Amino acid sequence: MLARLGIGLAKGLAGSVLAILIFLVGAFFQVRGALPSYDGQFEVRGLKAPVEILRDKNAVPHIIAGSIEDAAFGLGYAHAQDRFWQMELMRRLGQGRLSEIVPAELVGSALIETDSTMRGLGIYRKASESLNALSPAMRGIVEGYAAGVNAWLADDDQQFGLELTLLKLLSGGSYRPEPWQPADSLVWAKLMALGLDGNWRAELLRLRLARRIGEDGVKFLIEAPGDNRDATLSMVSQAVKSLDLDRLYRETDNIATAKRMASNEWVLSGAHSVSGKPLLANDPHLGLTFPGTWYLARLLGPGFDIRGATSPGSPAIVLGHNGTIGWGFTTTNLDSQDIFVERIDPTDPNRYITPDGPRPFAVREETIKVAWGEPVTLRIRETRHGPVIDDFIRRDSQVSPQGHVLALQATALDGADTSAEGFGRIGLAHNWEEFLAATRRIVSPMQNIVYADTAGNIGLVAPARVPIRRKGDGSMPVPGWTSEYDWAGFVPFDELPRVYNPSGGIIVNANARLVPDDYRHFITRDWAEPYRQRRAHQLLREVERHPVYGMIVMQADNLTLEAAEILPMLLKGAPRNPRAARAHDMLGRWNHFMHASRPEPLVFTAWLWELQRGLLADELGELFPALAAPDVSLMIRILRDKPGWCDDGGTRQTETCEDAIALALDRALDWIARRQGPDMTTWQWGEEHVAVHRHPLFDGVPLLRDIASARFPSDGGPQTLNRAQPSFRGARPFDSVHGAGYRGVYDFSDLDNSRFAMPLGQSGNMLSPWARNLVTRWQSLSYIEIFGTRAEVGHTAVGRINLSPVPAKP
C-alpha cells in the first residue's frame, strides 16, 4: 500500500527531466551522507554499564553487554543506525499517523483510510495499555531498547536518510522524529497479530459470496477435503442482509489488514541427524520488501548468548537459538476475530442492546492530522465486543443496516495482552519447562512454535488465547444483542496443541492442518493447503540421517506436489491444436520442479491462472479478484463435483470441463507468447517470476526505483518449500511478492555451526554496501554463521562501537 506513495512521487517528478536529475543528485548525496559510522566511542544516557557493538564481516552486530537490559539498549542503537526510517513508518502505521507526514495530494485518500482503521481499532492505545501488563523485568528490557534508539536520535547532527528527509520536506520542514517510546515496540506485535490471526475481513468476504452464490456455494468454496468440520454458514441473520458489504470490504483493505499466512518449520531428533543431536529448520514467509522484515543480531552477556532474527522496532530475538534451546515459528491462522452485528436501542441512539438490556456506547474522539490538508475527526464507539467498524469508514452513506452497527472482537485488541512478554522470554529460556512458561504468556498471534535443545529434546506448542464460542464457528458476522454467539472463554493452555519428544522423532508444520479431526476445540477453517507440509515429510523420510546442509537444500526445494495432483486431469483430454499438443508433451515429461530457467513452470502456472478465471469469474462476477490466485484443491473439486461451473455463462454454447481446460490452455499460451515470443522452448519462468523486494516509498519513482528496490529471477512457486508466491494481479501477475525473508538452521550438536540467511542485507540505506550484500549468498544457498569469541569477531569486524554511560555529575 505504501508503494502508492512512490507512484505519487513519480507523478510529481515526471513533469521535468531537470527536476528528476536534481532530485537524483541530491538523493545520492543525502543517502551517502546518512550512512552510519560503525566505529566510535560515545557517552549515552540510559546505560547501566558499557556496551560494545562489534559488526562482523556481514555487518551483523554482536552486542556485548553486562545485562540483558543493556544488550537491548545496544540492539535499539544498532536498529536505529541501520533501519530507523523503517521503524518510523512501522510505528506511525500502528499509531495511525502516516497522513501527518505524507500529503494526500500525492497518494490520494489511501493513507487517511489506513490511519482511520488504525485509530478506529485503537492499535496504539492497546499497545500502550499492554505495556502496563508486562513484568518489571520485561518492561526494563523494553525501556532499555527505547533508550538505545533515543541515544542514536539524540545527536543533533544526525542524518536520517533520504526517506525521512523527503518526508520532512513534504511536511513543510516541521517533521523531526519523536523520541522512541516503549509502547512503540509493542506496536509491531499488534500489527503482526492483526495480520497473522486476521480473518475478520474473510467473514465479510464470505458474506458477500453468500449473496452471490448462496450459502451452499460458499461452503463448497471454503470446505477443504478431508476435514470433518461441522461448521455451518446458516448464521446470516436478517439484520446483516442489507449491509453495504462491497464498500465495507473495499475501505478496510490496506497494508495493516492484509492477511499473512505462510512459513515452514521442521525439527528432527538426534535419531534422524548425522550428529545424533537435533536439527531445527525454520523459514517464515511474509511480503517481500526493501529493506526486509528481519535483521540479524547476537546479544551476548552474563547468562545469555542469543542469536537470530530480530524485527527493527522490537527488542526480542524473535527467531533463533540461545546456546541451549532453539525455536521457530509458523502461523496457525487462528480464527481469533469475530464481527458482531449490534442492534442500536430504538429509543436512544447512544445505546445498544445487550442480553442484560440497553447499554451506552463507550465513545472517544480521534483527530487525524493531514499534511497539506484539514484534520479528519473520528467519533469511535465501542461495544462490549469491541470497536464499531462503521465509525472509521467514510460516512458518505450508511454501511450497516438501519438501526445496527458492526463491532469487532479480537484477542489482539486486548489491552492486557502479554504477548510481548511471552515472545521476549522465549530467548531467555533454557529448557522445555521454562520455554512453556514463556509461551503461556502469549495471547496473539497464535504460532506453531517448534523447539529443540542441546539435551536432545524436541517439541512443539501452539500458544494463544483460542476463543471458545457458545455457538457457531466465527465464519460469518453474527448477532451481538444476544449472548447466544458470545465467546464463553478461552481454551486452557494445557489443552492447546502440544507434543514433546514424539516417538517418530520428526515434527513438521507448513501452515497446514495442525490438529486431527477429533481435536475437541475449534481453531480455524483457514488451514493452508498441505503440499509444502507433505513435501517436507517426504524429504525427511527419504534419508535416514540428515546433515545440516541437507536442511538448507530442503529449504530451497522447488518441487511442487500440486502438479502431480492436477496435471493428470488437465492432460486427460486430447490437445485441440499443434501448439496445445506441444504443451501437453512438455508438461507430460516435466519433473514438477519450478526452476526459473525452465518453460514448464510458466506454462503450468499460467494454465492454472486462466483455468481459475474460467471456472469462477462468471460465477463470482466482481468478487472474483479476491479469489484470483489459483487454488488447486478447489479446481479439482469443481472439475470433479461441480461440472456446471465449467460452463461460461457469457457464451451461447454450453462448455464442458474439458472445454474449459482447453480454452484456459489456449489463453495461457497466447499470454506467454505475447511476452516471450512463439518459441516455447525458449520460455523461462524466471522472466515472469521475479522476486520483487519493493521500496515502500520509491519503487514507483523512475530511475530511483532501480537503486531503491531489489529484483532478481526466482525459482519456486506458491506450493514449493522454497515458497515464492505470485501476486496474480497487475501487469506482472507472476512476480513473486511473498516468500521467505529469513532462513535458519540450528545444529544442536554445535550451535556455532548453525546457519542463517536473508535475501538482501542488514542496512536499510539503499547505497550501503550492507543493503544487498547477501543476495548472491541467498541464491547460492551459502548461508552465514553468527559465532565467535569477542576476539575472533573483532579480527574480521567491519566496525566497533563502544557505548558508555554518561558520567554522573559530581
Side-chain angles (χ1 to χ4, degrees):
M1 185 274 302
L2 285 176
R4 296 172 190 168
L5 175 59
I7 296 171
L9 291 173
K11 292 178 179 177
L13 292 172
S16 168
V17 173
L18 178 61
I20 293 176
L21 292 175
I22 292 172
F23 177 78
L24 290 176
V25 171
F28 176 83
F29 286 106
Q30 174 63 37
V31 175
R32 290 286 294 178
L35 289 173
S37 172
Y38 287 165
D39 290 290
Q41 298 187 21
F42 307 97
E43 292 183 348
V44 292
R45 301 186 183 280
L47 271 182
K48 299 176 183 177
V51 169
E52 186 174 25
I53 303 175
L54 283 172
R55 281 185 169 83
D56 66 21
K57 60 185 178 181
N58 297 300
V60 176
H62 296 238
I63 300 166
I64 304 166
S67 67
I68 190 65
E69 294 84 4
D70 280 352
F73 183 106
L75 182 62
Y77 192 93
H79 277 169
Q81 277 195 304
D82 287 325
R83 300 281 191 94
F84 183 74
W85 73 262
Q86 181 186 29
M87 296 164 60
E88 175 74 331
L89 293 189
M90 181 274 293
R91 71 166 165 174
R92 281 186 171 268
L93 171 63
Q95 290 171 337
R97 296 178 59 202
L98 286 170
S99 299
E100 290 184 20
I101 55 175
V102 183
E105 281 80 355
L106 291 180
V107 295
S109 62
L111 291 188
I112 296 176
E113 292 172 1
T114 299
D115 284 348
S116 297
T117 300
M118 294 294 96
R119 296 291 189 92
L121 295 177
I123 294 297
Y124 195 77
R125 292 174 61 251
K126 297 302 182 182
S128 299
E129 292 173 13
S130 295
L131 185 67
N132 297 323
L134 301 182
S135 68
M138 186 55 60
R139 182 154 184 162
I141 293 172
V142 175
E143 290 174 346
Y145 179 87
V149 177
N150 291 330
W152 184 79
L153 289 174
D155 185 350
D156 291 336
D157 296 324
Q158 192 62 262
Q159 297 293 310
F160 297 110
L162 177 61
E163 292 84 3
L164 297 187
T165 299
L166 179 60
L167 294 181
K168 181 176 182 178
L169 292 173
L170 292 174
S171 65
S174 61
Y175 168 77
R176 179 175 174 82
E178 299 169 358
W180 193 265
Q181 302 297 328
D184 297 344
S185 293
L186 272 61
V187 163
W188 178 80
K190 292 289 186 186
L191 292 174
M192 291 297 287
L194 193 65
L196 292 172
D197 281 359
N199 77 311
W200 62 282
R201 295 186 67 256
E203 294 184 28
L204 297 176
L205 177 60
R206 289 172 188 144
L207 194 52
R208 296 171 75 202
L209 289 168
R211 288 187 183 169
R212 175 86 187 189
I213 60 176
E215 292 181 19
D216 288 341
V218 175
K219 285 189 68 175
F220 181 81
L221 284 179
I222 67 176
E223 201 78 25
D227 278 344
N228 61 352
R229 302 186 182 112
D230 57 0
T232 175
L233 297 180
S234 61
M235 296 177 289
V236 183
S237 68
Q238 186 68 32
V240 300
K241 287 186 177 178
S242 58
L243 283 172
D244 187 350
L245 289 168
D246 293 340
R247 191 162 71 87
L248 185 60
Y249 190 79
R250 181 179 64 252
E251 294 187 11
T252 55
D253 180 16
N254 56 62
I255 190 173
T257 59
K259 176 68 175 167
R260 309 171 179 93
M261 56 173 296
S263 299
N264 300 321
E265 65 184 8
W266 53 86
V267 59
L268 313 178
S269 72
H272 297 280
S273 74
V274 170
S275 70
K277 288 287 188 176
L279 291 172
L280 190 155
N282 181 215
D283 53 295
H285 307 160
L286 295 168
L288 303 182
T289 61
F290 175 86
T293 299
W294 303 105
Y295 179 96
L296 300 175
R298 179 187 187 187
L299 307 183
L300 180 61
F304 61 91
D305 183 358
I306 318 172
R307 315 174 207 182
T310 70
S311 180
S314 170
I317 301 283
V318 182
L319 303 163
H321 73 79
N322 64 11
T324 303
I325 76 164
W327 62 97
F329 295 168
T330 64
T331 194
T332 321
N333 297 317
L334 171 67
D335 186 341
S336 65
Q337 303 174 357
D338 283 348
I339 294 177
F340 287 86
V341 183
E342 309 283 17
R343 179 178 291 166
I344 297 174
D345 183 353
T347 66
D348 183 352
N350 296 314
R351 301 189 302 179
Y352 66 100
I353 303 300
T354 77
D356 302 318
R359 183 184 299 184
F361 289 100
V363 180
R364 57 186 165 88
E365 283 200 352
E366 298 278 351
T367 301
I368 300 172
K369 297 179 182 178
V370 180
W372 301 3
E374 295 298 317
V376 174
T377 300
L378 303 176
R379 181 177 178 269
I380 306 297
R381 293 168 291 178
E382 291 207 23
T383 75
R384 66 194 183 96
H385 293 115
V388 172
I389 297 173
D390 309 58
D391 293 344
F392 51 84
I393 294 175
R394 291 176 297 175
R395 298 303 302 274
D396 53 323
S397 64
Q398 185 73 17
V399 176
S400 296
Q402 190 67 34
H404 299 82
V405 293
L406 300 182
L408 173 65
Q409 184 168 13
T411 57
L413 301 182
D414 185 351
D417 181 2
T418 56
S419 299
E421 176 106 21
F423 288 119
R425 281 190 181 183
I426 288 175
L428 301 174
H430 288 92
N431 53 52
W432 176 250
E433 289 72 26
E434 292 178 5
F435 168 77
L436 285 183
T439 62
R440 189 180 289 270
R441 307 282 290 175
I442 294 172
V443 173
S444 179
M446 190 180 197
Q447 298 289 284
N448 310 309
I449 308 179
V450 289
Y451 165 97
D453 61 36
T454 53
N457 302 299
I458 66 171
L460 175 146
V461 66
R465 285 190 186 163
V466 177
I468 298 174
R469 295 169 174 85
R470 289 191 173 129
K471 183 177 180 181
D473 64 359
S475 299
M476 301 275 255
V478 293
W481 57 86
T482 170
S483 61
E484 192 176 5
Y485 298 96
D486 281 356
W487 294 359
F490 301 98
V491 175
F493 181 82
D494 291 336
E495 295 180 22
L496 293 172
R498 182 194 308 182
V499 63
Y500 184 60
N501 288 333
S503 58
I506 296 176
I507 303 171
V508 176
N509 185 267
N511 312 112
R513 192 173 183 90
L514 176 66
V515 292
D517 288 352
D518 59 359
Y519 180 70
R520 60 176 297 200
H521 301 294
F522 175 77
I523 293 179
T524 183
R525 63 166 60 252
D526 295 325
W527 308 110
E529 294 295 333
Y531 301 114
R532 286 180 290 117
Q533 200 150 301
R534 288 177 188 167
R535 178 60 174 164
H537 273 289
Q538 182 184 85
L539 291 173
L540 289 171
R541 283 165 171 75
E542 284 180 355
V543 177
E544 184 176 350
R545 289 185 176 269
H546 294 267
V548 169
Y549 192 71
M551 304 294 93
I552 293 174
V553 171
M554 278 185 61
Q555 288 180 331
D557 182 73
N558 292 305
L559 183 88
T560 182
L561 289 180
E562 64 179 356
E565 278 202 12
I566 196 169
L567 271 178
M569 300 181 76
L570 300 185
L571 299 175
K572 183 178 180 180
R576 299 189 177 184
N577 55 63
R579 187 179 62 168
R582 291 196 300 273
H584 274 236
D585 180 62
M586 174 186 291
L587 292 178
R589 292 182 287 107
W590 179 38
N591 62 9
H592 304 166
F593 280 90
M594 303 284 284
H595 292 310
S597 61
R598 298 296 306 172
E600 295 93 346
L602 177 57
V603 175
F604 175 67
T605 304
W607 195 354
L608 294 184
W609 180 51
E610 291 290 357
L611 182 58
Q612 180 102 347
R613 182 187 308 278
L615 296 177
L616 294 181
D618 62 330
E619 299 285 342
L620 303 185
E622 71 280 2
L623 303 184
F624 172 72
L627 295 172
D631 182 334
V632 165
S633 66
L634 172 61
M635 284 190 277
I636 289 174
R637 297 203 311 274
I638 292 174
L639 296 173
R640 184 186 61 215
D641 302 329
K642 289 279 188 181
W645 287 22
C646 293
D647 179 38
D648 183 352
T651 64
R652 290 185 177 182
Q653 65 269 28
T654 299
E655 288 87 5
T656 65
C657 289
E658 188 173 317
D659 293 330
I661 291 170
L663 289 170
L665 177 58
D666 284 340
R667 289 194 298 265
L669 298 177
D670 286 343
W671 185 89
I672 301 171
R674 286 195 299 270
R675 300 173 71 90
Q676 297 197 25
D679 186 353
M680 201 177 296
T681 63
T682 66
W683 293 352
Q684 292 191 2
W685 174 227
E687 287 290 316
E688 309 298 337
H689 191 241
V690 173
V692 180
H693 299 78
R694 287 190 174 91
H695 190 291
L697 302 185
F698 299 141
D699 191 71
V701 179
L703 303 180
L704 188 59
R705 143 182 147 156
D706 292 335
I707 61 171
S709 300
R711 289 169 164 81
F712 47 84
S714 176
D715 294 323
Q719 299 297 343
T720 56
L721 287 177
N722 176 25
R723 191 167 190 270
Q725 173 71 43
S727 66
F728 294 108
R729 63 178 64 183
R732 292 189 56 87
F734 301 147
D735 273 349
S736 174
V737 297
H738 189 282
Y742 165 77
R743 290 174 180 158
V745 176
Y746 317 133
D747 177 4
F748 289 86
S749 69
D750 176 10
L751 282 168
D752 281 351
N753 190 41
S754 298
R755 312 298 172 86
F756 306 84
M758 296 195 308
L760 298 180
Q762 293 282 92
S763 178
N765 187 307
M766 64 186 77
L767 293 186
S768 169
W770 313 112
R772 298 173 183 80
N773 61 299
L774 298 178
V775 170
T776 301
R777 300 193 68 150
W778 177 266
Q779 293 174 310
S780 64
L781 305 185
S782 179
Y783 292 15
I784 68 172
E785 299 169 332
I786 304 174
F787 75 101
T789 65
R790 180 177 183 175
E792 289 169 340
V793 176
H795 183 67
T796 59
V798 299
R800 183 191 304 264
I801 292 175
N802 290 293
L803 305 175
S804 58
V806 173
K809 293 182 179 179

